[in-house]
Amino acid sequence: MAWNEPGGNGKNHDPWSGGGDKNPGGGKRGGNEQGPPDLDEALQKLQDRLNGIFGGKGGGSGTSGGSGGSHKGSFGLLGIVAVIALVVWAGMGFYTVDQQERGVVLRLGKFHSVVNPGLQWNPPLIDDVSKINVTQVRIHDHRALMLTEDENIVDVDISVQYVAENPENFLLKVRSPQESLGQAAEAALRQVVGASEMNQILTEGRQVMAISVQERLQRHMDAYETGIRISGVNVRNAQAPSQVQDAFDDVIKAREDEQRSKNEAEAYANSVVPEARGIAQRMIEEANAYREEVVARATGESQRFLALLSEYQNEPDVTRERLYIDMMQSVMTNNPKVLMDVEGGNNLMFLPLDKLMENRGNPSSSSRSSASDLGFRQMNDPLTDASRTRQSSTGAGSMREGR
């Protein structure tokens, strides 16, 4: 007979309640056998503990309070799970923006704000934050064949440096800022190259071309609202196509030789012209000095003549004698011949041949040699001092009579 059939001894045949000790806490059941844990009882104990933590009351062990305690425990567990989920959700909203970055906040897919560097918080799963580096210098290289104004083809290679100045426009206004930059760079470069000649692009016009491309490219970026600021454009290479590169190299070399020759000629002119100007200025100064000297000398002679005329008008004889003596002195001083009037009336001409031979190459010393010979002859002359005095006076008288 089954243990739960009517009329049977169900108490003795109940497999969950042994005939031994009572099992108030899930202990031994049916003698020495160990039964499975009571799940409802374990959940009830957990709910009682949670209710005790949050200020609730534990459920009773009776049958009448079991249903109410179970519902209260379920609500408490849900509250705990909700609080934990809320804490985790709030913790997920903290983030840090670096000093070189700016954060673009999208709330439910729509632009909300731009956050600055530092510790920030936004509601997670509602706001989406994208960090944009606004100080990093990015580089875009572009190379293409261009047609110049004089209908030549050049191969131009440029490098564009830019930064994301406006993070909102850089992230949201264009789909691909780098692609837009490349297309705008090619358009600006074609405009500049198309308005320039090939020789200018290949030689000294690269810097001017780079500045023009940068200005045009920045205008394109502002019109597209890309949020990009062009910091620099460098023309890395500009050359003719490879098929005609050798010919253009020869042309460039010839042009460099021409420029070098011009520089050498200018250097020579700069060294010669100042020297010639200095010589001309010196000649002008010498001429002015000579003119001043002649004018001053003439002025002095005229003043001297006027003074002499005044003296001559006062004392004609004395003035005439003085003028004669001065003239003879000036004439005889430079004459190497010496005339001596000796006693007896015979004039003796002394010709110092040795001194003349010595002084042939030095005319300035002839006066000195004549004076020295005259002194030597006077010292060896046997005439006395009285005769020399008489001779000199007689010679002076004869000179005046001859005059």
Side-chain angles (χ1 to χ4, degrees), residues 49 69 96 197 227 234 252 272 276 283-284 291 317 327 357 396:
R49 292 179 182 177
T96 303
E197 295 183 356
N234 297 324
I252 294 174
V272 172
M283 295 177 65
I284 293 173
R291 182 188 62 186
D317 296 334
M327 180 58 67
M357 295 298 293

Side-chain angles (χ1 to χ4, degrees), residues 17-337:
S17 58
D21 298 335
K22 295 182 179 180
N23 186 18
K28 291 183 180 181
R29 293 181 183 271
N32 296 327
E33 294 181 358
Q34 181 72 28
D38 192 347
L39 182 61
D40 294 336
E41 186 177 357
L43 291 176
Q44 183 64 37
K45 291 181 179 180
L46 178 61
Q47 291 176 5
D48 291 342
R49 292 179 182 177
L50 293 177
N51 290 332
I53 294 174
F54 291 97
K57 295 181 179 179
S61 59
T63 304
S64 61
S67 177
S70 176
H71 287 295
K72 291 181 181 180
S74 299
F75 288 137
L77 180 61
L78 293 176
I80 293 173
V81 172
V83 171
I84 294 175
L86 181 62
V87 172
V88 173
W89 175 81
M92 293 172 59
F94 289 98
Y95 61 94
T96 303
V97 179
D98 192 74
Q99 188 66 31
Q100 299 177 351
E101 298 175 338
R102 298 295 183 272
V104 180
V105 180
L106 301 179
R107 179 159 294 176
L108 298 177
K110 185 178 180 180
F111 174 74
H112 179 263
S113 62
V114 176
V115 295
N116 294 322
L119 181 62
Q120 305 291 339
W121 183 86
N122 284 90
L125 305 179
I126 298 176
D127 289 355
D128 185 15
V129 181
S130 299
K131 301 177 183 179
I132 305 297
N133 193 323
V134 296
T135 60
Q136 179 185 2
V137 178
R138 299 174 173 87
I139 298 176
H140 174 76
D141 298 329
H142 187 79
R143 182 175 182 178
L145 293 174
M146 305 286 175
L147 185 65
T148 62
E149 185 181 13
D150 51 357
E151 297 182 355
N152 288 316
I153 298 177
V154 293
D155 186 5
V156 183
D157 185 9
I158 64 173
S159 176
V160 180
Q161 300 176 358
Y162 66 97
V163 295
E165 187 176 34
N166 190 329
E168 177 187 355
N169 293 345
F170 186 79
L171 182 65
L172 302 177
K173 292 300 180 67
V174 290
R175 178 175 298 176
S176 177
Q178 291 80 5
E179 183 178 356
S180 300
L181 176 65
Q183 296 175 357
E186 183 171 357
L189 184 60
R190 289 190 181 275
Q191 290 178 352
V192 175
V193 172
S196 305
E197 295 183 356
M198 186 173 185
N199 293 333
Q200 183 180 5
I201 295 174
L202 296 180
T203 55
E204 68 274 3
R206 294 187 179 183
Q207 186 64 29
V208 178
M209 182 177 66
I211 296 174
S212 300
V213 170
Q214 181 177 353
E215 293 176 354
R216 291 178 179 271
L217 183 57
Q218 185 62 59
R219 289 198 294 267
H220 293 337
M221 293 294 98
D222 295 340
Y224 297 160
E225 295 183 353
T226 59
I228 292 176
R229 178 174 61 84
I230 306 299
S231 59
V233 175
N234 297 324
V235 180
R236 298 193 300 181
N237 190 15
Q239 61 183 7
S242 58
Q243 294 81 0
V244 294
Q245 183 62 39
D246 295 336
F248 274 94
D249 290 341
D250 295 338
V251 173
I252 294 174
K253 184 178 180 181
R255 186 177 294 108
E256 292 176 353
D257 293 339
E258 177 187 4
Q259 187 64 32
R260 184 177 66 252
S261 299
K262 288 182 179 179
N263 295 335
E264 292 176 355
E266 291 178 357
Y268 177 74
N270 292 333
S271 63
V272 172
V273 171
E275 183 179 358
R277 289 177 180 174
I279 294 174
Q281 186 65 29
R282 185 183 63 188
M283 295 177 65
I284 293 173
E285 295 295 335
E286 290 177 354
N288 292 332
Y290 177 73
R291 182 188 62 186
E292 296 294 336
E293 180 183 359
V294 171
V295 171
R297 186 183 297 114
T299 302
E301 292 293 337
S302 62
Q303 293 177 357
R304 178 176 175 274
F305 178 78
L306 294 176
L308 186 60
L309 177 61
S310 177
E311 295 295 331
Y312 180 78
Q313 291 175 353
N314 295 330
E315 296 290 340
D317 296 334
V318 176
T319 304
R320 186 182 301 110
E321 182 72 19
R322 183 63 182 172
L323 290 175
Y324 176 76
I325 294 174
D326 291 341
M327 180 58 67
M328 293 303 295
Q329 182 178 1
S330 62
V331 171
M332 299 301 293
T333 300
N334 296 326
N335 190 2
K337 302 178 181 62

